[in-house]
Amino acid sequence: MYTPDLYKNENRDDIHAFLQENSFGILINQTQGKLTATHIPLELETDKEGNSILYGHLSKENPQWKGFTENDEILAVFSGPHSYISSSWYDHENVPTWNYIAVHVYGRIKIVEGEAVVESLKKLVDKYEKASKNPVRVEDLSKETMMQASGVVAFEIEITEIQATKKLSQNRDDKNYQNIISELEKTKENQSVAVANEMKKCPR
């Protein structure tokens, strides 16, 4: 991912927090010589050796998983808030642009089997059910329902490289920076307001 130095995010804790909060990503690999992509949750975790990994699963009906053994290299793309930035918000003439946050994770993928499949499903369900009034627990599901687990392919991704971009008008002076935040908030659009909130967090 092309990222000018000004917009590079190399803060490990910040990147990990982003991945945990924006875990619905795009898994990209080559299957039978063709680029393939699937939109799925990819959860960040630390393995027994203390290494950061991503885990997830695909339906066996999805042929993408067959490429994992042919070529284990993958790219996972994660996107955060983004918004159009009008140059009418500056106190000088310039071109419009786009503010956004994104993380690309490169790694090597391996299929996991047996009890590890159920464990990965448990962790995924527990994460997203914790705010539910009546949370579902994998442990409480019937044997008949859990037979559906045989229809998924679970995997882990050993992370080899992370590239993170946080493009939030860092190249603007304080006056224009604050004006961009104000104009984004005026739109009352969810994405734009989210970008404004991220800009407020950035050190100046």
Side-chain angles (χ1 to χ4, degrees), residues 125-126 128-138 140:
V125 171
D126 288 347
Y128 292 101
E129 287 285 338
K130 64 183 177 183
S132 298
K133 187 175 180 180
N134 298 298
V136 172
R137 295 174 71 246
V138 168
D140 298 334

Side-chain angles (χ1 to χ4, degrees), residues 133-153:
K133 187 175 180 180
N134 298 298
V136 172
R137 295 174 71 246
V138 168
E139 296 91 327
D140 298 334
L141 298 176
S142 67
K143 288 183 179 180
E144 289 77 14
T145 297
M146 285 306 298
M147 285 178 64
Q148 295 181 46
S150 63
V152 304
V153 176

Side-chain angles (χ1 to χ4, degrees), residues 81 83 85 99 168 177 180-187 189-202:
S83 182
I85 306 298
N99 278 4
L168 298 173
Y177 192 84
I180 292 167
I181 292 174
S182 176
E183 294 295 336
L184 286 168
E185 290 176 329
K186 287 178 186 177
T187 69
E189 295 176 358
N190 290 340
Q191 290 281 352
S192 298
V193 172
V195 168
N197 290 335
E198 290 296 331
M199 289 178 66
K200 290 177 184 178
K201 298 175 189 176
C202 285

